[in-house]
Amino acid sequence: MSGNIRTAAGVYRQFIDGEWVDNQTGTSFPVYEPATEEVMARVMEADSADVDRAVRAARRAFDSGPWPLKTPQDRAQILFKLAAKVRAELPKLAEIEALNSGKPIVEAEGDIGAVAEIFEYYGGLATKIPGMVNPVSANALSLSLREPVGVAGLIVPWNYPLLMASWKLAPAIAAGCTMVLKPAEQTPLTALMLADWFEEAGLPPGVVNVINGYGESCGAPLVEHPMVDKIAFTGSTEVGKAITRSAADTLKRVTLELGGKSPNIFFADADWEASVDGALFGVFINQGEVCSAGSRILVEKKIYSRFVEAMAEKAKTIKLGPPMDRASKMGPVVSKDQYDRVQSYLAIGKTEAKVASGGGRPKEFDKGYYIEPTIFYDVDNSARIAREEIFGPVATVIAFEDEGDAIRIANDTPYGLAAAVWSRDIYRAFRVVKSLRAGIVWVNHMQPTCTEAPWGGYKQSGVGRELGPWGVEEYLETKQVYINLDEKPIGWY
Ligand code: ADP
């Protein structure tokens, strides 16, 4: 790691135009370790003046200098080098990610491995973005060229900090864009570590800039900036709507990966053990801080009571513990704010439904933002805990009568990110798949996420798709070129 990433006082700088630089106001903010509630680092806080500086660097890098001359092969090599570096530094990155976000180290290692895979995938794709010859008149050659959309503002959340950044950085680099990345203020550290390797990977100055700050004072000016062509955002639906409104002024391209209240549907004929596991894993993985969390568990009436009991029994065995303990299956939630928010939903839930297990703070911890994996049952789909995204370890179990009822309840939500259906009856499972209004549907599983397959939401869960070839499309424009082949083409006057 270069000596300049931090000041003499240990404050992390911002990465602009290929250099570690100080922010304009000299202010910084604390970054916490949610298991101990202690400050683990301080990071310079960017405001609109820093945003402007970063955006101008990205603009310059896009319009002139070495980047526009780089070939797809060059971009591929850069992505492969970043992937190799991430793999080499996986233990360190995973440790920082786990300590800062609260997630168990085993999960953090998986996340960082996936980051490397994303860079490798888009390294491969960088050389496979062809244009087209369009079938027009015999007197012309018509081409469609794929060109980078320009300067992209990338705004990411705290639940999968470096992974969500990589979902955006890698396709944007493959496409030839330049960019300003703003990590979430809760979890800025791994993106800064990555930035320290950009030069070594061959990224010219200004191509990727990393600034940190709060949503209102750093994210919002990035969205407003007239030199930014595109915003790619992952976060809450509320902020997604605010970004869409603000981006309308400059008609930026906007892609959004937002919240969800995803149904996880269990029919009586599904494998019992796998189903109980799948219900728990679907909602409690990453402390439930997952946009695709299967937070509405829909269970066929004839197995409903037994299923709730089995879930509750097994939930009690889920090991909560510090992020660096390899046996931990759940760590603390990310922050005090998030802890308070989840606690407020636990209070609401207790007035709306019954508690099968959990419901509060585990007794064995005297500090840290730990919350018990909580299962509410006899939940009506109109209850707030069934309609609003909680983003914590809170499951709602809802009974259904039959296939039609399951589909109706599953689709009765403003969201449409993900869904899962569990059954051994392939006719029924596929009928349900076709009826679900969601961008991702799993059958007899929940949560596997594949670098090669599209990810994104229907309805209020988002706009656009990430991952796979779809991911790079969102960073491309299409230019139509008409080449006349007739020496006297007009002949009008
Ligand atoms: P969460 O509720 O998961 O914290 P948010 O949607 O609030 O999710 O935040 C996700 C990202 O969006 C963070 O990087 C945050 O700083 C940023 N953000 C929050 N508010 C705004 C805003 N008004 N404009 C742009 N970015 C924002």
Side-chain angles (χ1 to χ4, degrees), residues 49-71:
D50 302 294
V51 169
D52 184 60
R53 184 174 176 190
V55 170
R56 284 175 190 280
R59 189 79 250 169
R60 276 194 305 277
F62 186 79
D63 292 336
S64 57
W67 187 240
L69 304 175
K70 295 277 185 202
T71 63

Side-chain angles (χ1 to χ4, degrees), residues 148-361:
V149 72
V151 175
L154 314 177
I155 302 176
V156 298
W158 44 258
N159 59 337
Y160 291 92
L162 195 61
L163 187 57
M164 290 299 101
S166 73
W167 283 23
K168 295 172 172 48
L169 290 169
I173 292 170
C177 289
T178 62
M179 62 214 79
V180 176
L181 170 68
K182 192 203 92 62
E185 55 271 32
Q186 297 84 351
T187 53
L189 302 176
T190 44
L192 291 170
M193 290 169 71
L194 184 75
D196 212 27
W197 306 323
F198 286 165
E199 188 181 355
E200 189 184 327
L203 270 173
V207 174
V208 185
N209 306 276
V210 184
I211 53 174
N212 283 291
Y214 295 103
E216 291 288 320
S217 51
C218 179
L222 182 58
V223 176
E224 283 157 23
H225 203 294
M227 287 183 184
V228 174
D229 300 291
K230 186 224 157 77
I231 293 291
F233 170 77
T234 299
S236 61
T237 292
E238 189 193 342
V239 173
K241 288 179 184 175
I243 285 178
T244 305
R245 278 190 285 270
S246 164
D249 283 339
T250 44
L251 274 178
K252 290 182 173 60
R253 284 85 184 102
V254 178
T255 46
L256 305 168
E257 205 263 88
L258 307 175
K261 200 74 198 176
S262 298
N264 198 0
I265 307 168
F266 295 91
F267 285 96
D269 69 326
D271 182 280
W272 181 262
E273 288 291 318
S275 294
V276 174
D277 261 10
L280 297 172
F281 183 83
V283 65
F284 295 137
I285 185 78
N286 207 49
Q287 301 74 241
E289 298 165 315
V290 183
C291 53
S292 57
S295 51
R296 287 188 302 145
I297 297 168
L298 276 47
V299 184
E300 193 170 354
K301 237 176 204 156
K302 56 179 126 157
I303 55 163
Y304 177 77
S305 301
R306 263 178 65 220
F307 199 85
V308 172
E309 264 171 44
M311 275 182 71
E313 206 53 41
K314 209 158 191 185
K316 289 180 189 130
T317 68
I318 295 174
K319 185 165 165 30
L320 265 74
M324 291 312 288
D325 183 343
R326 299 198 80 81
S328 298
K329 291 283 192 277
M330 273 175 58
V333 299
V334 72
S335 65
K336 174 83 168 69
D337 280 355
Q338 196 57 19
Y339 178 84
D340 291 345
R341 182 187 152 85
V342 177
Q343 288 289 353
S344 76
Y345 274 107
L346 293 180
I348 293 167
K350 286 171 190 167
T351 68
E352 291 182 322
K354 298 178 190 148
V355 179
S357 73
R361 186 188 166 79

